[in-house]
Amino acid sequence: MKKITVNCPTCQKPVDYVPENEYRPFCSERCQMIDLGAWAEESYKIPVTPTAEDLEHIMDELDEQSGSEDGKQQSIGYRWQ
Ligand SMILES: [Zn+2]
């Protein structure tokens, strides 16, 4: 039986295009949601809007970073300026 494989439009992972996959052509519900959100906002920038709590958490992490000089700040990907 021939299997059709497509690439997930969101993350480009190969996806089996079968009826059992209810999220086809996406690989997962998450990727489907990201794509729908992207269409709704006409952009692929940020799928989720950070809440005030998220921002607080990020600010906390930045505070911890600047407080230590052990080089750990290099491994954290936030650029919040
Ligand atoms: Zn995907």
Side-chain angles (χ1 to χ4, degrees), residues 54-76 78:
D54 288 337
L55 291 177
E56 251 178 61
H57 184 67
I58 290 168
M59 295 311 281
D60 280 351
E61 285 194 7
L62 289 176
D63 280 350
E64 282 172 30
Q65 279 179 47
S66 55
S68 64
E69 297 290 338
D70 58 6
K72 264 186 189 168
Q73 61 263 46
Q74 297 291 335
S75 64
I76 298 178
Y78 288 125

Side-chain angles (χ1 to χ4, degrees), residues 8 10-13 26-28 31:
C8 170
T10 302
C11 69
Q12 308 301 317
K13 264 198 302 196
F26 302 93
C27 66
S28 64
C31 280

